[in-house]
Amino acid sequence: MRLTPASTFKIANSLIALETRTITDIHQTLRVDLEKYPAQDWWQPGWATETYDLRGAFQNSVFPIYRSIASNIGEADMTRYLSIFNYGNQDISSGIDDFWVAGSLEISAIEQVEFLRSLLHGDFGLAESTLNDLKEIMTVEDDSTYSFYAKTGAALVEDMRVIYWYVGFVENENGIHYFALNLDAPPTPENAQLRIDLSRNYLRQFGVL
């Protein structure tokens, strides 16, 4: 079933920004454009006042910074790369700076995995530096036995429900292992944590972690 990707789209958004040189250095300073995107009550602490590099914006899921990144990429390049990626329904019609959060873009869990698998197999013809930069900003855990890369996502939909995501891949001595989990659940901190706990438990059951 296709659902809004919410912040898991930051994976694709970051790739496109790096590949088009919209972002030229993952360590460059990024700030929220408060004139274009005034602070909202629901924003996370620090979004309006702190500076970030791309890893910080990704890991803290700074929505207004990624709205600016998407706007700077533009509709033409965004459409072109979503076609190359075969990313869900590829529909950005609800607005260039927010189509991925309860908007027109939708993707299934299987399609999330297919996108990541094609990416890591080099099927998209992206620069090696782009993939290396993505892995750097996606790293959650890196130890002697495995490297864990992931992104959360959450979007409020009708009836006060939230679509929660946890998407990523694990590299270990046996290869690369992909995962994508979504939950349709009430908006609670417990459910936000549950998506991560379930994903990691499943990966342990399959011997990936």
Side-chain angles (χ1 to χ4, degrees), residues 47-61:
W47 279 10
T49 57
E50 294 183 12
T51 59
Y52 300 88
D53 59 11
L54 191 61
R55 174 174 167 80
F58 186 93
Q59 294 288 334
N60 290 281
S61 216

Side-chain angles (χ1 to χ4, degrees), residues 12 49 65 76 101 109 143 145 154-155 158 174 194 196-197 203:
T49 57
I65 284 180
V101 181
D143 66 19
T145 57
E158 66 274 5
N174 296 316
L194 180 62
I196 298 173
D197 293 342
L203 291 168

Side-chain angles (χ1 to χ4, degrees), residues 135 139-149 171 200:
K135 291 173 74 172
T139 300
V140 174
E141 190 177 352
D142 192 6
D143 66 19
S144 60
T145 57
Y146 63 82
S147 298
F148 191 102
Y149 307 90
E171 294 180 332
R200 294 185 72 102

